[in-house]
Amino acid sequence: QVQLQESGPGLVKPSQTLSLTCTVSGGSITTSYYYWSWIRQPPGKGLEWMGAIAYSGSTYYSPSLKSRTSISRDTSKNQFTLQLSSVTPEDTAVYYCARCNPPRSDYWGQGTQVTVSS
């Protein structure tokens, strides 16, 4: 059974960089042909796909967030990380990591609340 767990600070100040880590157990992030995604849901809004890192290490980003987003991985720890720079209060959301087996996301973390506020 694959499990994903998000971790990181719950409060980030405006203009700073948000950094979250997803720790995966029960499966390797290098296993073909899975993609490991970050998805967020602002309050009162729908889910927004932010980007993903593939089993190969290739990265893919939402065009609307590409200039501020970086996704990387540590295969020795079976983790992947999201960095979102220059955050504003509009980046306040519940952030999820998920495993994608296109076209569907079959395993999700429980989500972590991140608030951007001074």
Side-chain angles (χ1 to χ4, degrees), residues 14-115:
S15 80
Q16 292 187 339
T17 296
L18 179 163
S19 183
L20 296 174
T21 295
C22 183
T23 301
V24 180
S25 58
S28 171
I29 62 173
T30 61
T31 299
S32 304
Y33 297 94
Y34 296 118
Y35 295 74
W36 304 87
S37 289
W38 287 99
I39 299 158
R40 69 180 182 179
Q41 185 168 30
K45 298 185 178 180
L47 294 170
E48 179 184 21
W49 179 80
M50 302 180 69
I53 187 163
Y55 59 95
S56 62
S58 298
T59 52
Y60 306 86
Y61 299 108
S62 167
S64 64
L65 295 170
K66 185 175 182 178
S67 64
R68 299 196 291 131
T69 307
S70 178
I71 297 174
S72 59
R73 67 180 184 175
D74 185 336
T75 57
S76 67
K77 295 180 180 179
N78 215 35
Q79 296 175 332
F80 62 106
T81 299
L82 169 73
Q83 291 194 308
L84 181 67
S85 63
S86 304
V87 298
T88 72
E90 286 66 42
D91 294 308
T92 294
V94 178
Y95 285 75
Y96 299 92
C97 57
R99 189 182 82 167
C100 299
N101 185 12
R104 63 193 181 99
S105 298
D106 54 3
Y107 290 98
W108 291 66
Q110 65 183 19
T112 186
Q113 173 70 47
V114 177
T115 301

